[in-house]
Amino acid sequence: MAAAEHDRPGQGRKPPETGPGERLALNRMGSFEWDLGAGTLELDEAGAAVFDLDPEDVDGTPEALGLRIPPADAARLGQTVADVLESGADTYGAYFMVQRRDGRDQWTHTQGRVVRDEDGQPYRIVGIVRDATGELAQATQLRKLESARAKQSSIVQRTTEALSRAVTVDDVTATLTGAGALERLGAEGLALGLVEGGTIKIIALSGESLEILSERRFTRLDGSLPLSQAVITRQARFVTSLRALGEEFPLLSDYLSRIQYDAAAYLPLIAQAKAIGGLVLFYRHRTEFSPEEKNLCLGLAGIVAQSLQRALLFDQEREFATGLQAAMLPRRIPEITGGEIAVRYHSAWSGREVGGDWYDVIALPRDRVGIVVGDVQGHDTHAAAIMGQLRIALRAYAGEGHPPSTVLARASRFLAELDTERFATCMYAQVDLETGGVRAVRAGHLGPLIRHTDGRTGWPNVRGGLPLGLASVFEQEDFPETRLDLVPGETLVLCTDGLVEEPGTAITQGMEALSHAVSSGPQGAGALADHLLDRLWERWGSGDDVALLVLRRAPDPGTHRAPRIHQYVHQADPEGLSEARYALRQALRDWGMPELADDVELAAGELLVNALLHTDGGAVLTMEVLPEPVRRIRLWVKDRSSVWPRRRTPGEAATTGRGLLLVDALASHWGVESRGDGKAVWCEFDATGNPRSTE
């Protein structure tokens, strides 16, 4: 009895101790000793177990290990040992594969120490071998986990970066459905819905076969569908069998059977403690959602929710801002005779920061029309309110029939008397579309751009005064008028600086871009206005409001039997004369009278030079065919001077004064007529080629 108690463990008798070999074996580790000189390799029992060798298979040579080591691994291991021996190093380590008898592959690790003699020559290697399968399996799992985490971080980072640039709801949907978006989200399909009242409206679908879900674009928020259930409960749902999901939600069963996906994540979009929508991510060949994958989906839903919330707020602010701005602008544009007018307004993409840009078209007495664009200082609701008051006041002054200079002077005084420190720039013109006469004034604003009938563009020199409001404060309410002529078919463009200014660049660059866009744009006023906004407003980044007005005088080509062309030549345009001569020659060729080109071109040049040298302004050149009673060409040169030309008889040494003598010699008839505030010098050429000179 006492002996039995004495033999019980823990009763004072020590258990047998384990030797070094046993300790190695318990850790699936063995040792070896390799005699390089004799070529023998001694492997202990634990080492043989690592290689899955029976004792009789161990013959004391390294070749015995070849039964278990694949040739490629054996060659790599042999090269490792050879490199160590040659380099003079003392230790080495290597991983290699062992093929066990049951067919399993076992990762194995060896570590050896080279024993050298006094001369440094190696003669023995002593080392250990161990089963490294568990170690590498854990490392592989860690690498997979790290890879998955890196992938998830990349998905979150790329999605956040892409959505950070989204401003409107349309921007958000475009980001989630555009090229590469699904790959960026790590999904194969996507559906996005917004809560509107008691429904969910699907606003975006992306992925193969998902277009059939558009048939249920609007669904009640009653929990009868998985997305609405997720939104109501604010709980995400991860589904690995869409077939089983269809059995739970019969309304969706037919659709789920037709889409080509196996799993889905139904995610509520929560922002500021409110469910604003839902997001569905579809997947193929997925049988489970790991905790990390679920967290990733929830993180993506949070990012999308914040972006949508920000976009919804921006869209609401934009709707408020544009509504306020629209209320301040004229509701309709009056019909005009003899031309066409198009107006456009675009507000800057900056939330509620509306601007003070405006346009207006005012019917005036005697069948004239007043056109105006302007810009009140600032980008806020106060600027918009000031703009509305100033626009109405300017319209009232113009409607009373005052000249343009008086209209702006009174508008400046009105603005200065308001309880505000704001000023405004403005460009105003009265246009007579019957005669083409334009009386233009400007107050610190960009002048008009004119496109001629041949496509050339020019910025006429319109004199200007101080901005409205400031002009009255500094008692400088002088707004000088500039007279322009708009010939049939020409176009007048007025705009605010938002169409020509880009931050960081000179305004002249924008003016050149506008000139090019006008020159290359379509003929119609509406089409040209759209063309300019598409080309320039988007180009400058939409950072400022834009008001645009395009007026085109109706073309006057005459008739088939009596064709007609018009050309305006600016006083400061050195190319105008050559362009006019070319236009005359081309027209005569088209009309079948090229033989008159030299005489007509020479006479036109003399008349134009007289007008440009002896009057204060440009000249309008008109050439037409008069078919009755005798077919002939009539040339008109109109200017704004009331002084009539005189035919003189210059001396032999005179260098001027022969212009009318040349016209008299070339033309069959010529004369002068009074035209309102100017005159028209005309001459005719007989198409039969029999000139006769009369005055």
Side-chain angles (χ1 to χ4, degrees), residues 282-541:
F282 294 94
Y283 302 90
R284 293 190 180 96
H285 312 302
R286 172 165 288 191
T287 58
E288 65 175 352
F289 286 90
S290 67
E292 292 80 8
E293 290 167 340
K294 290 181 179 180
N295 288 334
L296 172 63
C297 291
L298 294 174
L300 291 175
I303 296 170
V304 173
Q306 294 300 320
S307 297
L308 271 179
Q309 177 74 358
R310 185 175 62 249
L312 286 169
L313 179 61
F314 180 87
D315 284 349
Q316 291 170 1
E317 291 179 340
R318 289 303 306 163
E319 185 177 357
F320 169 82
T322 54
L324 174 63
Q325 187 76 20
M328 298 295 180
L329 294 173
R331 291 178 177 268
R332 65 179 186 86
I333 298 300
E335 297 288 338
I336 63 172
T337 302
E340 56 177 335
I341 293 180
V343 291
R344 298 289 186 271
Y345 173 81
H346 260 305
S347 54
W349 289 106
S350 52
R352 299 178 70 172
E353 293 186 2
V354 295
D357 294 27
W358 88 92
Y359 61 79
D360 209 348
V361 179
I362 309 162
L364 301 176
R366 299 190 299 275
D367 295 327
R368 293 170 300 144
V369 62
I371 56 176
V372 58
V373 294
D375 183 5
V376 176
Q377 175 197 17
H379 290 85
D380 50 28
T381 53
H382 183 55
I386 295 296
M387 177 272 288
Q389 298 177 73
L390 181 59
R391 184 185 72 82
I392 293 173
L394 193 147
R395 167 180 277 269
Y397 298 142
E400 292 174 353
H402 298 292
S405 57
T406 303
V407 170
L408 289 198
R410 294 194 174 189
S412 177
R413 199 170 306 125
F414 171 84
L415 181 57
E417 293 173 355
L418 288 179
D419 186 17
T420 179
E421 296 180 354
R422 305 294 178 93
F423 63 85
T425 64
C426 178
M427 172 69 211
Y428 174 66
Q430 291 182 358
V431 183
D432 187 336
L433 288 171
E434 182 178 355
T435 65
V438 179
R439 301 170 66 183
V441 292
R442 62 185 186 93
H445 199 84
L446 187 69
L449 176 66
I450 294 180
R451 181 175 68 183
H452 306 294
T453 54
D454 58 3
R456 292 182 302 117
T457 58
W459 298 88
N461 183 23
V462 176
R463 295 172 293 172
L466 293 176
L468 302 181
L470 293 180
S472 298
V473 170
F474 290 104
E475 298 182 351
Q476 296 184 22
E477 297 177 346
D478 182 24
F479 298 97
E481 291 185 10
T482 300
R483 299 295 185 93
L484 305 173
D485 287 285
L486 198 66
V487 306
E490 286 190 332
T491 301
L492 193 67
V493 177
L494 308 182
C495 67
T496 53
D497 56 8
L499 196 63
V500 295
E501 277 191 333
E502 180 182 17
T505 63
I507 192 174
T508 53
Q509 181 179 343
M511 294 172 66
E512 291 174 1
L514 176 60
S515 297
H516 178 73
V518 169
S519 177
S520 61
Q523 295 295 321
L528 179 60
D530 292 335
H531 171 76
L532 296 180
L533 288 183
D534 291 342
R535 292 283 298 275
L536 300 179
W537 186 71
E538 295 292 345
R539 169 179 175 174
W540 302 140

Side-chain angles (χ1 to χ4, degrees), residues 74-155:
R76 182 166 51 81
L77 183 58
Q79 186 62 48
T80 300
V81 174
D83 291 342
V84 170
L85 296 177
E86 182 179 353
S87 65
D90 292 334
T91 61
Y92 69 89
Y95 286 92
F96 57 95
M97 191 69 67
V98 167
Q99 295 176 335
R100 300 184 68 86
R101 282 175 286 187
D102 60 5
R104 292 185 298 110
D105 288 334
Q106 168 191 295
W107 278 108
T108 306
H109 181 259
T110 181
Q111 184 171 345
R113 174 172 290 277
V114 180
V115 181
R116 301 178 183 273
D117 59 19
E118 295 178 355
D119 297 330
Q121 295 299 316
Y123 65 90
R124 183 173 299 180
I125 298 177
V126 179
I128 59 172
V129 291
R130 59 187 177 86
D131 184 351
T133 301
E135 171 192 332
L136 292 185
Q138 183 180 9
T140 301
Q141 185 64 27
L142 289 174
R143 284 196 297 270
K144 289 182 179 179
L145 185 58
E146 285 298 321
S147 177
R149 289 174 178 171
K151 180 180 179 182
Q152 292 170 4
S153 298
S154 175
I155 289 174

Side-chain angles (χ1 to χ4, degrees), residues 571-587:
Q571 192 172 38
D573 184 5
E575 298 181 359
L577 285 174
S578 61
E579 294 285 348
R581 294 190 185 101
Y582 175 80
L584 294 177
R585 184 174 292 273
Q586 184 64 41

Side-chain angles (χ1 to χ4, degrees), residues 237 241-254 256:
R237 181 166 184 176
S241 173
L242 294 186
R243 183 181 299 276
L245 186 68
E247 295 174 358
E248 183 180 349
F249 296 94
L251 292 177
L252 201 59
S253 177
D254 181 52
L256 294 178

Side-chain angles (χ1 to χ4, degrees), residues 22-30 130-131:
E22 292 177 282
R23 289 195 290 268
L24 291 175
L26 287 174
N27 286 282
R28 307 186 71 179
M29 185 182 298
R130 59 187 177 86
D131 184 351

